[in-house]
Amino acid sequence: MFSRSLPPPLLSLLVVLFSAGNAPCHAFAAFAAGFNAGVTTRRPPVLASTAPSAGGGGGGGRAMSAATDDDDDDDDDIADSEISSLLRPPYEIEPIPLRIGHGFDIHRMVPYSEAGQPLVVGGVVIDHADQGWTDRDGTYTGVPGSVYETQLGVLAHSDGDVVYHSLVDAIFGALTLPDIGQVFQDTDPRWRGCDSSKFVEHAYDVMSHHGYRIGNVDVTLILERPKVSGFKRGMKENIVRLLHTTSGRVNIKARTHEKMDSVGELRSLSCHVVITLEKVVGDS
């Protein structure tokens, strides 16, 4: 799966990501329990039996199970309760038949040595050859604005997955709920290095609790390089699996920024997601 062009530190990190299981975001089970306490979560049925299973083809998901930490203290419990209340607003989320949400995210791309983690998009590690990253400040080349050939990573508090973060924001937005930055704050050490599929899973539970299921998902990834055409299938399969929907309801598009601004200089990547949610029939 991984190219021989990857440096040993990156290969080592990928081995950790795929084999260490639930080391990052270990507090997620407690967080989810805070939301679901006293609540019966209604899960809409998978719309077809052909939905791919975890770890499907095309470089699929970085499956990571949630687990509690026996050392969690009372401070964590209080924080869980406070965050969970954001997703149960004091007003009625009216049961209209169709809701539309939009999500956007952007993250910095930097040399892997600075990021300390690989480029992960839609739950897929983007294996790539060295890229010509613009060294705006001359940190690596000594010449501001020059090009530095390097492996790229994402500088972020969690794993920096712009597709997954945009998905969560689109779901929350459609439901008139706070944005992902309020719910999973980037100052909270529990989410450092977290696999963002856990955020998507929780957004799905919130959506189900409020009586909705996926109508359709339209993703637009904006990334100059590395090219991701060979990874789009894996991204789509991951989204279908996490949101319990079908391939005919999920679309992945990717485009460059015509070498303009920070995206064109390989210093950032961004994503837009438009999503529709359907009210589950008979669910009030």
Side-chain angles (χ1 to χ4, degrees):
M1 177 179 175
F2 306 121
S3 165
R4 292 183 181 180
S5 65
L6 291 173
L10 182 53
L11 286 171
S12 298
L13 178 61
L14 295 180
V15 169
V16 170
L17 284 171
F18 279 84
S19 63
N22 54 16
C25 54
H26 59 277
F28 205 94
F31 169 80
F35 171 76
N36 290 314
V39 174
T40 300
T41 301
R42 300 181 290 271
R43 288 183 177 270
V46 177
L47 299 179
S49 61
T50 56
S53 59
R62 304 180 308 131
M64 183 180 295
S65 60
T68 56
D69 187 336
D70 293 336
D71 295 329
D72 282 349
D73 55 26
D74 291 340
D75 290 339
D76 278 343
D77 293 337
I78 293 171
D80 294 338
S81 175
E82 290 173 350
I83 293 174
S84 300
S85 67
L86 293 173
L87 301 175
R88 289 178 287 180
Y91 54 84
E92 178 189 9
I93 297 180
E94 299 174 17
I96 58 178
L98 182 70
R99 289 180 171 271
I100 301 173
H102 172 261
F104 172 77
D105 195 31
I106 185 169
H107 279 297
R108 289 176 58 195
M109 286 200 303
V110 296
Y112 167 76
S113 60
E114 180 179 348
Q117 60 182 4
L119 178 60
V120 179
V121 183
V124 179
V125 177
I126 306 301
D127 180 20
H128 60 278
D130 287 356
Q131 300 291 316
W133 178 79
T134 300
D135 188 4
R136 175 62 65 87
D137 300 320
T139 302
Y140 295 89
T141 63
V143 181
S146 60
V147 174
Y148 178 58
E149 295 292 329
T150 180
Q151 289 279 309
L152 297 171
V154 178
L155 196 63
H157 185 67
S158 65
D159 63 5
D161 192 323
V162 293
V163 170
Y164 282 177
H165 294 179
S166 298
L167 274 173
V168 173
D169 245 3
I171 291 172
F172 286 170
L175 294 169
T176 72
L177 297 173
D179 62 70
I180 187 173
Q182 291 177 264
V183 179
F184 302 108
Q185 297 181 17
D186 62 8
T187 56
D188 191 328
R190 292 175 299 175
W191 316 132
R192 179 170 296 280
C194 190
D195 178 344
S196 294
S197 68
K198 310 316 293 184
F199 303 153
V200 179
E201 289 173 351
H202 193 64
Y204 173 83
D205 284 341
V206 172
M207 174 187 70
S208 300
H209 164 67
H210 290 297
Y212 283 87
R213 68 183 181 189
I214 293 297
N216 74 294
V217 177
D218 190 25
V219 176
T220 303
L221 175 66
I222 306 172
L223 174 66
E224 193 71 27
R225 289 192 307 274
K227 300 301 182 183
V228 296
S229 58
F231 301 98
K232 288 164 67 175
R233 176 184 173 187
M235 297 177 197
K236 180 170 181 171
E237 291 179 348
N238 286 340
I239 293 171
V240 168
R241 171 175 52 82
L242 289 168
L243 296 181
H244 300 262
T245 187
T246 59
S247 295
R249 293 176 179 247
V250 176
N251 187 46
I252 308 283
K253 309 188 302 291
R255 58 156 300 152
T256 70
H257 225 226
E258 301 295 337
K259 300 183 179 180
M260 294 185 293
D261 63 39
S262 63
V263 175
E265 295 177 345
L266 279 64
R267 295 186 296 109
S268 68
L269 76 163
S270 63
C271 181
H272 291 269
V273 169
V274 176
I275 198 166
T276 61
L277 306 183
E278 301 172 344
K279 192 74 177 74
V280 177
V281 177
D283 198 331
S284 59

